[in-house]
Amino acid sequence: MKAARPHDDAMVELLREDPAFADEYLATALEEADEPGGRQALLRALRHVAQAQGMEEVAERAGLRRESLYRALSPKGNPTLETLLAVLSAAGLRLAVARREEHPA
């Protein structure tokens, strides 16, 4: 029987095995960012994607110091828009905007 492992480790491994999954994973996290706990979930998702691609490599492609990337994507991180866009770009992704679905009154 396979031993249990932390969720974060499992997500990083899944993203390593299926890099295209990062698109869906981050899109979902971004859609839910304004819900309770959503901001922290988005940072965790970004951190998972960066870890799957290698934090040092992502930091280099983003033009950041590795320590700065870790700090920005930490649970208490508060990345600037510039950092967010640089990390997404370094991961081969970009930010998109979509209109919210209108809820009937």
Side-chain angles (χ1 to χ4, degrees):
M1 179 189 222
K2 194 171 184 180
R5 58 194 168 136
H7 174 265
D8 290 342
D9 293 347
M11 285 306 300
V12 169
E13 184 177 323
L14 179 61
L15 289 162
R16 244 185 230 126
E17 292 171 358
D18 184 7
F21 177 59
D23 301 3
E24 288 180 53
Y25 184 48
L26 286 174
T28 300
L30 189 57
E31 286 175 13
E32 298 172 355
D34 61 347
E35 295 179 13
R39 183 182 162 279
Q40 292 81 8
L42 177 58
L43 285 175
R44 179 180 291 138
L46 282 168
R47 187 170 55 254
H48 289 159
V49 169
Q51 288 173 326
Q53 293 187 10
M55 290 293 268
E56 192 166 336
E57 291 83 4
V58 170
E60 186 176 317
R61 290 192 307 258
L64 300 169
R65 292 184 26 238
R66 186 176 47 87
E67 297 80 12
S68 297
L69 181 59
Y70 275 107
R71 194 174 316 112
L73 300 182
S74 74
K76 293 185 179 183
N78 189 14
T80 64
L81 180 58
E82 181 179 2
T83 299
L84 175 64
L85 294 175
V87 171
L88 288 172
S89 179
L93 302 167
R94 66 182 172 92
L95 188 61
V97 176
R99 183 162 304 280
R100 289 180 186 225
E101 292 182 25
E102 295 295 323
H103 292 41

